[in-house]
């Protein structure tokens, strides 16, 4: 199976040598979870897009430093591509910016959240019984790094993950689109380095300190491998 990664952002220069790009983090996570895919990478920020919606069997849209309301040409074109992929029924996974731009493509809205930044480890409650979650999980914990979030859910989306901080943390669109606000591809070391790098600059110091506390507490861990299984099962349409 060929997964097309639509790269909307990249790791900061100071961290990329050690941790790799967002696309590489996703590939590494799937490998760690023992899901073997072939990948094609499209840096859509530079106008590098697939020829059409069926060039790959499934798609992942990464996180980004950009905001979905920036309205650059590549953002407008990406929204159009999302609609085209949905029309042919191929699966899409959206992470952070990907989560937000998919919502915007279908008439929802994402904007800077009045509650401020979501950073550190966040726990999300699972709503209902999503078909792609084969285990008995009722919640999951992964790293968050966002100021924007979906504030108006599209009519064609249903919620599968939520928290007090992020109402629309996980959305499903029919049988072929799944999106997450937080980052299953981030490990604790990367999240710590990123929070420390942005502390007092883009992230208020008290918010950063609270986030770092979640990373330093005893037993701090993510459920990223479990989430990787869910995403892979969704992308491959594995029956559960």
């Amino acid at each position: 199976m060929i997964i097309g990664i639509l790269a909307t952002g990249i790791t900061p220069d100071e961290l990329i040598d050690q941790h790799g790009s967002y696309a590489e983090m996703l590939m590494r996570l799937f490998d760690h979870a023992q899901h073997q895919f072939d990948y094609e990478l499209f840096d859509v920020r530079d106008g590098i897009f697939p020829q059409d919606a069926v060039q790959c069997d499934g798609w992942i849209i990464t996180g980004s430093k950009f905001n979905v309301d920036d309205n650059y040409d590549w953002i407008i074109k990406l929204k159009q591509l999302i609609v085209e992929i949905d029309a042919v029924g191929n699966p899409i996974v959206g992470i952070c910016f990907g989560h937000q731009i998919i919502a915007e493509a279908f008439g929802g809205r994402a904007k800077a959240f009045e509650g401020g930044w979501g950073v550190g480890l966040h726990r999300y409650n699972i709503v209902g019984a999503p078909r792609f979650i084969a285990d008995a999980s009722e919640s999951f914990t992964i790293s968050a790094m966002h100021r924007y979030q979906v504030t108006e859910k599209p009519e064609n989306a249903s919620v599968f993950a939520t928290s007090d901080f992020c109402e629309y943390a996980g959305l499903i669109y029919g049988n072929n689109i799944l999106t997450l606000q937080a980052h299953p591809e981030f490990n604790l070391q990367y999240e710590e380095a990123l929070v420390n790098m942005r502390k007092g600059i883009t992230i208020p110091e008290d918010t950063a300190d609270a986030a770092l506390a979640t990373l330093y507490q005893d037993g701090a861990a993510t459920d990223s491998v479990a989430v990787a299984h869910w995403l892979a099962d969704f992308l491959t349409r594995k029956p559960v």
Side-chain angles (χ1 to χ4, degrees), residues 1 3 30 33-37 57-58 89-91 93 129-135 175-176 178 225-240:
M1 181 176 188
I3 301 297
F30 282 124
Q34 299 184 340
H35 294 284
Q36 301 300 314
F37 297 119
D57 303 306
N90 281 359
V93 165
R131 65 171 180 84
F132 54 88
I133 298 180
D135 55 40
N175 293 317
N176 64 303
L178 182 159
V225 171
V227 175
H229 289 313
W230 303 343
L231 300 182
D233 287 350
F234 189 89
L235 286 165
T236 57
R237 305 177 189 274
K238 179 179 177 181
V240 295

Side-chain angles (χ1 to χ4, degrees), residues 10-210:
I10 197 166
T11 315
D13 292 343
E14 299 91 332
L15 302 178
I16 194 167
D17 286 346
Q18 180 179 356
H19 297 280
S21 68
Y22 297 145
E24 289 169 335
M25 289 183 195
L26 284 163
M27 296 179 200
R28 190 163 60 237
L29 175 60
F30 282 124
D31 285 345
H32 182 62
Q34 299 184 340
H35 294 284
Q36 301 300 314
F37 297 119
D38 294 319
Y39 299 96
E40 289 193 31
L41 180 63
F42 304 90
D43 196 335
V44 296
R45 302 169 305 157
D46 291 336
I48 301 173
F49 279 79
Q51 295 177 354
D52 52 45
V54 295
Q55 183 171 339
C56 296
D57 303 306
W59 303 91
I60 301 175
I61 305 175
T62 72
S64 178
K65 70 178 182 179
F66 294 98
N67 297 319
V68 291
D69 55 4
D70 285 336
N71 282 327
Y72 293 114
D73 288 345
W74 67 265
I75 290 178
I76 295 169
K77 187 173 180 179
L78 181 56
K79 290 179 183 179
Q80 296 170 343
L81 177 61
I82 290 165
V83 174
E84 292 169 4
I85 295 171
D86 179 59
V88 300
N90 281 359
I92 312 174
V93 165
I95 305 296
C96 198
F97 178 92
H99 168 78
Q100 296 167 14
I101 196 170
I102 289 172
E104 291 255 339
F106 292 108
R109 187 179 182 194
K111 65 178 183 179
F113 182 49
E114 293 179 356
W117 281 84
V119 289
L121 292 182
H122 281 224
R123 177 166 289 275
Y124 304 98
N125 296 318
I126 296 173
V127 178
R131 65 171 180 84
F132 54 88
I133 298 180
D135 55 40
S137 297
E138 296 182 354
S139 64
F140 61 97
T141 298
I142 53 178
S143 295
M145 177 59 66
H146 62 97
R147 184 171 64 96
Y148 273 54
Q149 61 175 266
V150 175
T151 55
E152 296 179 19
K153 180 181 71 66
E155 291 184 3
N156 63 332
S158 59
V159 179
F160 83 89
T162 188
S163 72
D164 290 341
F165 184 82
C166 187
E167 181 178 3
Y168 304 125
L171 297 174
I172 309 171
Y173 301 72
N175 293 317
N176 64 303
I177 300 178
L178 182 159
T179 69
L180 286 168
Q181 176 56 68
H183 290 273
E185 76 278 21
F186 287 7
N187 60 31
L188 297 183
Q189 294 74 26
Y190 178 75
E191 180 81 0
E192 178 185 359
L194 188 60
V195 173
N196 275 316
M197 189 177 75
R198 294 181 173 176
K199 177 180 176 180
I201 301 173
T202 55
I203 302 173
E205 290 198 8
D206 57 345
T207 301
D209 287 338

